[in-house]
């Protein structure tokens, strides 16, 4: 599960990061960072595009996502 992998990478499990993970799990559409941001921003007003990019970059570097 990606949540355990985030913990193993030493990342805090913020509501924003969990929302990004939930959106990505089982998603076959391969959304862009901007699409993820636009979809989650209404529910998470404090979400920044940088948070989305940083989370995706960390997951990609860990081999959990394909860019």
């Amino acid at each position: 599960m990606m949540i355990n992998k985030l913990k193993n990478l030493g990342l805090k499990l913020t509501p924003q990061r969990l929302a990004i993970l939930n959106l990505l799990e089982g998603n076959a559409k391969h959304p862009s960072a901007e699409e993820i941001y636009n979809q989650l921003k209404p529910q998470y007003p404090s979400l920044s595009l940088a948070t989305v990019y940083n989370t995706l970059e960390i997951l990609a570097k860990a081999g959990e996502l394909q860019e």
Side-chain angles (χ1 to χ4, degrees):
M1 180 172 235
M2 276 202 204
I3 291 174
N4 290 332
K5 291 175 184 178
L6 273 183
K7 286 182 184 179
N8 291 338
L9 293 170
L11 295 176
K12 292 181 183 178
L13 297 179
T14 65
Q16 293 87 351
R17 284 190 179 137
L18 292 173
I20 293 167
L21 289 177
N22 287 334
L23 185 83
L24 291 173
E25 283 191 318
N27 190 332
K29 293 183 182 181
H30 299 77
S32 69
E34 290 84 5
E35 289 170 333
I36 294 169
Y37 172 78
N38 289 331
Q39 192 167 345
L40 295 176
K41 183 66 174 175
Q43 298 160 344
Y44 299 92
S46 64
L47 180 68
S48 70
L49 188 54
T51 297
V52 176
Y53 273 110
N54 291 338
T55 302
L56 294 177
E57 180 180 357
I58 291 165
L59 292 171
K61 284 183 180 178
E64 299 303 321
L65 292 179
Q66 185 175 359
E67 290 186 57

